[in-house]
Amino acid sequence: GAGVSQSPSNKVTEKGKDVELRCDPISGHTALYWYRQSLGQGLEFLIYFQGNSAPDKSGLPSDRFSAERTGGSVSTLTIQRTQQEDSAVYLCASSPRQGAYYGYTFGSGTRLTVV
Amino acid sequence: GQQLNQSPQSMFIQEGEDVSMNCTSSSIFNTWLWYKQEPGEGPVLLIALYKAGELTSNGRLTAQFGITRKDSFLNISASIPSDVGIYFCAGQNYGGSQGNLIFGKGTKLSVKP
């Protein structure tokens, strides 16, 4: 597509449930990033994928968070046993190659609310 | 880890006035970026800076990459209502373990028409 597409745009879930957030990057972009934006905070890096290389998971806050990228395109961020502190906007971005030099294009995000 | 200090956190400005915001870091960055985020949207890139001392303009926006590589500023001239939003600085150090963007906490700009 023309831009980075994320779904759902909003998700309300009960504490303890699992959620899946989806990101469809720009076609041909090999690098894909997930960030988390809490209220009043900047963007917190979670994970990135570059081509077929092993993902950099160094930003994932706990083992309840995981992500995969199938076929080098669509990515799914999974949060297991959600907690209230997981409530945030989850942003996905893609770029033609890894690195800020090539520019990041962000999706509109998924607003997750854990009640 | 690396952190960016962005200031001010928020500002109210009269339409037509100039705006200035800045970011500082204790670490050196190879790239500085400035993004704008509007409600319900993801950040959109405004200006990218790749060399120390570089001064770049994009319309009414001007940004500079500090000579020490530890800071950057963004100026908006003659602000208008559509400038409202949150402005984020972001830096990248290619020698870092992540090689990814580190973001400031943002400057929320509100313009009085």
Side-chain angles (χ1 to χ4, degrees), chain A residues 10-59:
Chain A
N10 283 283
K11 176 72 176 178
V12 179
T13 189
E14 292 181 352
K15 178 181 174 181
K17 294 284 180 65
D18 298 351
V19 295
E20 287 188 350
L21 312 179
R22 176 187 168 106
C23 173
D24 200 339
I26 292 174
S27 178
H29 280 194
T30 61
L32 185 147
Y33 311 82
W34 283 97
Y35 284 83
R36 178 168 72 175
Q37 184 176 26
S38 301
L39 187 64
Q41 301 295 315
L43 280 68
E44 174 191 6
F45 167 77
L46 297 177
I47 186 172
Y48 88 83
F49 299 85
Q50 170 56 46
N52 296 320
S53 302
D56 180 344
K57 305 178 181 180
S58 60

Side-chain angles (χ1 to χ4, degrees), chain A residues 4 23 25-26 29-33 69 92-96 103-107:
Chain A
V4 177
C23 173
I26 292 174
H29 280 194
T30 61
L32 185 147
Y33 311 82
R69 189 179 185 190
C92 174
S94 70
S95 67
Y104 288 30
T105 301
F106 282 87

Side-chain angles (χ1 to χ4, degrees), chain B residues 1-7 21-34 64-73 89-94 96 100-105:
Chain B
Q2 295 175 311
Q3 291 189 357
L4 293 181
N5 297 309
Q6 185 170 352
S7 64
M21 59 192 80
N22 68 84
C23 271
T24 59
S25 171
S26 58
S27 304
I28 290 173
F29 286 104
N30 298 102
T31 301
W32 281 94
L33 305 169
W34 286 92
Q64 184 159 29
F65 192 145
I67 196 71
T68 65
R69 295 165 62 192
K70 293 183 178 181
D71 63 315
S72 177
F73 72 74
C89 62
Q92 183 171 24
N93 178 357
Y94 294 112
N100 292 295
L101 291 180
I102 308 298
F103 283 84
K105 293 188 175 182

